[in-house]
Amino acid sequence: MHLLFLSSLLPDDSPSTGYEIANRAIVEAYRRQGVRLTFAGFRRPGARIPRDAISLGELAIENAGASRAQKARWLVEALAGGRPVSAAKVARFHEDGLAARLAEAGSIDGLILNSIQMPAAYPGLARDFPTIFIAHNVEHRSAAENAKNARSRFTRLLYRRESALLRRAEEAVCRDALVVHTLNPDDNQGLGLSGAEKCLPLALTIGQTASPDDGVRSHDVGLIGTWSWAPNRVGLDWFVQAVAPRLPADMSIAIAGRIDGPAPAAPANVRFLGRVDDAQAFVRASRVVALATKAGTGVQLKTIETLEEGLPAVATTLAMRGISALPANIRVADEPEAFAAALVDLVAAERESRVDRIDGSAFAASQRQALDAAIRAGLDRFAAEARYADHRALQSAGGSRPAPSAEMTLARPARQG
């Protein structure tokens, strides 16, 4: 089977964000099922174009790296086009022009629409072609949360607009796609697909082998994330403002990851490191990991990584979404006082060797098996539904056209009638 994997950004050789790491895990799962993938999307400035990829041009897409002028242009384009801002960033083609570029993939069996940005910008994709949709988050819910947490009326109104448009886009692609994969079973309901047979949650794995513990600790508490993403920033601000002041002054706290704008004010024992070259090395150097998630949907890749590494951690309930079994070295706390107390307890226990790093390989193996099973089930359903759609199209044509081939190109719609 040959599928075109369409995403806002082309795969990165060295994934650093949770989105990129999730993409790598999903791509590798498709390849384990024998699927041939051709990629299409924009490339970051200066990035190498991967093999078997169609580059739609160069695009700096993250807010953290964008100037105020660029953000203003995105907003103007979104308002003018009636699109979410996240879709306006990638709306660089007319739909026919995009189809012409994607036709460079040759004969394919269908599309994988990876996240909502591209189908929100080009709604004809899921409507006209056999499609698998991968919903990394329930984006309209995340935007609604951002509106609730916004600090200005203008920002609140923008996020409310974003939420309404994203909800409409998600409803459309979920209706038209033959298969929908979420990254968290709870997101099925958020997308209006609770109980729907075509909605299959995916487990995720970081896909890195845990190294033996070298005993090196550079900080007591570690946090890592893409803090330029608004739902992550809510958790960062909560930790810095409500949890960190309750921790002892001699407890060292390191925070890694990109931040949009200046870092929040924090106690003197908090260090902001920015983007680190080796995220895995950073978390391994933490005595305890803080998973301070207070907003968002989908699954937390830093939670998956922490469990696969077997690291001691304190997590909010929301950080553990999609995780059914709680390891012995994980504490769950949602209030600042309880979260801080759990950190103090686990850091002291780690210093005194009273809490262990456990073997996370069994968890990683179970995640990979579950991911492969869901991808395999999705492919089986996709193949069956695509054949059924072709049969219905032939019937609606009154048998006047020849039976469709097993493959198609993006030069023409694959579903008619």
Side-chain angles (χ1 to χ4, degrees), residues 223 235-246 255 264-267 270 272 292:
L223 291 84
L236 174 65
D237 289 344
W238 175 79
F239 178 86
V240 169
Q241 296 166 9
V243 177
R246 292 180 163 85
I255 299 176
V270 176
F272 291 94

Side-chain angles (χ1 to χ4, degrees), residues 139-197:
E139 296 288 359
H140 79 268
R141 282 193 171 179
S142 295
E145 287 180 347
N146 294 342
K148 188 182 300 183
N149 294 312
R151 298 179 180 178
S152 72
R153 183 173 182 272
F154 178 70
T155 304
R156 187 162 52 251
L157 290 174
L158 286 181
Y159 274 126
R160 285 177 179 171
R161 174 187 181 274
E162 195 85 350
S163 178
L165 292 174
L166 285 169
R167 181 171 193 144
R168 193 179 308 158
E170 286 173 328
E171 287 175 348
V173 71
C174 287
R175 179 190 65 239
D176 294 333
L178 302 183
V179 174
V180 177
H181 288 302
T182 59
L183 304 189
N184 179 355
D186 292 342
D187 288 352
N188 295 14
Q189 181 178 6
L191 292 172
L193 295 174
S194 182
E197 292 182 359

Side-chain angles (χ1 to χ4, degrees), residues 308-320:
E308 292 189 357
E309 291 284 348
L311 301 175
V314 179
T316 61
T317 301
L318 197 57
M320 300 301 292

Side-chain angles (χ1 to χ4, degrees), residues 189-229:
Q189 181 178 6
L191 292 172
L193 295 174
S194 182
E197 292 182 359
K198 74 174 180 178
C199 192
L200 303 168
L202 301 179
L204 286 182
T205 176
I206 299 299
Q208 294 173 307
T209 302
S211 299
D213 183 15
D214 59 10
V216 175
R217 308 289 186 265
S218 60
H219 44 273
D220 292 317
V221 178
L223 291 84
I224 187 168
T226 303
W227 310 115
S228 55
W229 191 49

Side-chain angles (χ1 to χ4, degrees), residues 330-347:
I330 304 290
R331 307 282 181 85
V332 176
D334 290 312
E335 298 304 321
E337 298 85 354
F339 200 98
L343 283 174
V344 170
D345 186 30
L346 278 184
V347 167

